[in-house]
Amino acid sequence: MFRQMGENKEKNETCGTIFLKYLLFTFNFLFWLAGGAVMAVGIWTLVEKSDYISLLSSKIYAVSAYILIMAGVIVMVTGVLGCCATFKEQRRLLRVYFVLLLCIFLLEILAGVLAYIYYQQLNEELKENLRETMVQKYHQPEQDHVTKAVNKLQQEFKCCGSNGSFDWVESVWIRSVEADSRLVPDSCCKSPVIKLCGRRDHPSNIYKVEGGCITKLENFILNHLQIIGAVGVGIACVQIVGMFFTCCLYRSLKSEPY
């Protein structure tokens, strides 16, 4: 009788372990996909929007993106390791897997903290630096990246100047002979393909947006920081579930002989 009870208990434990294994395998597959998504968001930030990063004096925005890419790579590697640990039923691998999950969790917290800090100081940074960058560095030697970024900013967001088109009056380039009597850069024009269109600053010819490019760029970065934050929180929640399943499977396995 006691023998039968022992066998039933062992059978129940085996079934529970198998269930946990497949549950953890499913989690790892989803986790691997999530890692790809995190890495994609980070790469998108650096590749697609790298021009705008050059307009910011603080590097926190770029650092947050690099942290996301690093976390995404580690997540994908960890997902593969988790699958191996699950099916081989090795407690040592499960321990390594748990530690990696914890490291990723801490990385995401760090990225979230940086994003929050930057969120708080973004408005002041743009007010202090964007106008100065446009006025002093546009079309200046060895500042091609700034010129390209400003042109892209004004065309993509349909704006002109930091606070408005009047900012360009104090531009080093506009005051020079090279500007060829332009009042604003051609990228301010609604039809920039027309050469020297920047000579007319009438609202029918150039973009006149309340708040200028500062408001547009600030809204863009804030929205992007919210995406980074949402992705980070989502992955962190999934990780907590994964760490719980890992602990359950770890406890259900018999200790390995050393």
Side-chain angles (χ1 to χ4, degrees), residues 27-45 65 68-80 104 108 231 235:
F27 162 79
N28 280 308
F29 177 70
L30 295 174
F31 196 50
W32 185 83
L33 291 177
V38 170
M39 188 169 63
V41 170
I43 292 173
W44 177 71
T45 300
L68 277 181
I69 293 173
M70 188 189 307
V73 171
I74 297 174
V75 163
M76 295 184 79
V77 173
T78 303
V80 175
I104 297 166
E108 286 166 348
V231 170
I235 299 297

Side-chain angles (χ1 to χ4, degrees), residues 17-247:
T17 301
I18 292 172
F19 175 73
L20 280 172
K21 279 174 60 177
Y22 282 100
L23 200 60
L24 196 54
F25 176 79
T26 303
F27 162 79
N28 280 308
F29 177 70
L30 295 174
F31 196 50
W32 185 83
L33 291 177
V38 170
M39 188 169 63
V41 170
I43 292 173
W44 177 71
T45 300
L46 293 177
V47 175
E48 283 294 315
K49 307 303 175 185
S50 59
D51 291 333
Y52 298 148
I53 292 174
S54 66
L55 297 176
L56 306 172
S57 60
S58 172
K59 301 300 179 185
I60 295 178
Y61 184 66
V63 168
S64 297
Y66 281 117
I67 290 175
L68 277 181
I69 293 173
M70 188 189 307
V73 171
I74 297 174
V75 163
M76 295 184 79
V77 173
T78 303
V80 175
L81 178 65
C83 289
C84 294
T86 301
F87 280 100
K88 289 188 176 182
E89 297 186 4
Q90 292 186 6
R91 287 163 64 94
R92 291 176 185 174
L93 278 177
L94 283 173
R95 283 197 292 269
V96 173
Y97 174 65
F98 183 85
V99 170
L100 284 174
L101 282 180
L102 190 59
C103 289
I104 297 166
F105 186 74
L106 294 175
L107 267 177
E108 286 166 348
I109 289 176
L110 176 60
V113 169
L114 287 175
Y116 179 76
I117 291 172
Y118 192 58
Y119 179 90
Q120 298 297 315
Q121 68 181 45
L122 178 61
N123 185 266
E124 287 303 315
E125 180 189 335
L126 288 177
K127 283 181 180 178
E128 290 176 9
N129 298 297
L130 186 59
R131 183 180 178 280
E132 190 70 17
T133 299
M134 286 183 165
V135 169
Q136 298 295 331
K137 296 183 179 181
Y138 185 80
H139 260 304
Q140 296 306 300
E142 299 181 2
Q143 298 294 337
D144 290 343
H145 62 292
V146 172
T147 302
K148 181 183 175 183
V150 171
N151 287 335
K152 183 178 179 181
L153 175 68
Q154 294 189 142
Q155 275 298 297
E156 195 166 294
F157 291 127
K158 296 180 174 20
C159 58
C160 183
S162 177
N163 298 291
S165 59
F166 50 83
D167 285 336
W168 288 109
V169 173
E170 298 181 25
S171 167
V172 174
W173 178 71
I174 290 294
R175 290 182 171 186
S176 69
V177 179
E178 293 178 8
D180 202 4
S181 301
R182 288 180 178 88
L183 299 175
V184 294
D186 290 346
S187 57
C188 281
C189 300
K190 295 178 180 179
S191 300
V193 291
I194 301 174
K195 192 176 181 181
L196 299 177
C197 63
R199 286 179 172 179
R200 289 182 63 244
D201 60 355
H202 192 271
S204 63
N205 184 51
I206 67 169
Y207 295 114
K208 294 274 190 178
V209 181
E210 187 177 348
C213 291
I214 278 185
T215 305
K216 296 277 190 175
L217 184 58
E218 182 181 10
N219 289 337
F220 165 78
I221 294 176
L222 290 180
N223 290 336
H224 202 261
L225 286 175
Q226 287 172 358
I227 292 172
I228 292 175
V231 170
V233 170
I235 299 297
C237 292
V238 172
Q239 281 177 254
I240 293 171
V241 175
M243 286 189 280
F244 174 74
F245 288 155
T246 303
C247 290

